[in-house]
Amino acid sequence: MKARLLAVAFAVVVAACGSVAGSGGTPSPTPPPGSVLVTKASNQQTVTAHVGDHIQIALGEDINWQLESPDGVVLVQEPNRNYLLVRGTQAIWLARSAGRSTIKASGGMNCPSGSLCPMLLAVFTSTVEVVP
């Protein structure tokens, strides 16, 4: 009985993981000119930007993403810039100088209050290579 319950719990977690990896059905926001869009498809990938570009991090809204702060050298949060972020966008950072920087995020599923929610942790890592 205990083994069967464990197998069912494992199947629920695996099924939930499959839904996290999908596109989620939410269309990707279109980045403005001079910006680079980082999405879930960029996970474990390197994206290229130029100095002065804006890096739009749009991982969707099916996960409650928590971003680590940018490194402050290659990628920075612009002072005195309060962007109104479209749904599914977590941040917009500025590529300040040439180099490499890592974007890291993690989070759990967004579930309606009072509903059963799989307990899983989604992680995201992408490298941004900024060129002159």
Side-chain angles (χ1 to χ4, degrees):
M1 178 69 167
K2 190 175 187 181
R4 184 175 179 205
L5 187 58
L6 184 60
V8 170
F10 179 75
V12 169
V13 170
V14 169
C17 288
S19 67
V20 171
S23 66
T26 304
S28 296
T30 304
S35 68
V36 174
L37 183 61
V38 175
T39 66
K40 281 193 261 184
S42 308
N43 191 27
Q44 304 292 318
Q45 303 289 319
T46 298
V47 296
T48 303
H50 291 87
V51 173
D53 283 351
H54 287 93
I55 312 302
Q56 180 179 351
I57 304 160
L59 302 177
E61 52 189 297
D62 55 337
I63 302 290
N64 184 17
W65 293 106
Q66 301 299 314
L67 287 173
E68 290 185 12
S69 296
D71 63 13
V73 176
V74 176
L75 298 179
V76 297
Q77 290 177 332
E78 291 182 273
N80 302 321
R81 284 288 187 137
N82 292 325
Y83 291 104
L84 181 59
L85 301 176
V86 296
R87 289 182 77 175
T89 295
Q90 286 69 38
I92 299 176
W93 295 339
L94 176 67
R96 181 196 288 170
S97 63
R100 293 174 73 94
S101 185
T102 302
I103 298 172
K104 293 182 181 180
S106 62
M109 297 290 296
N110 274 331
C111 298
S113 179
S115 68
L116 291 176
C117 193
M119 297 300 294
L120 63 100
L121 178 67
V123 292
F124 174 89
T125 303
S126 183
T127 301
V128 179
E129 184 167 348
V130 180
V131 296

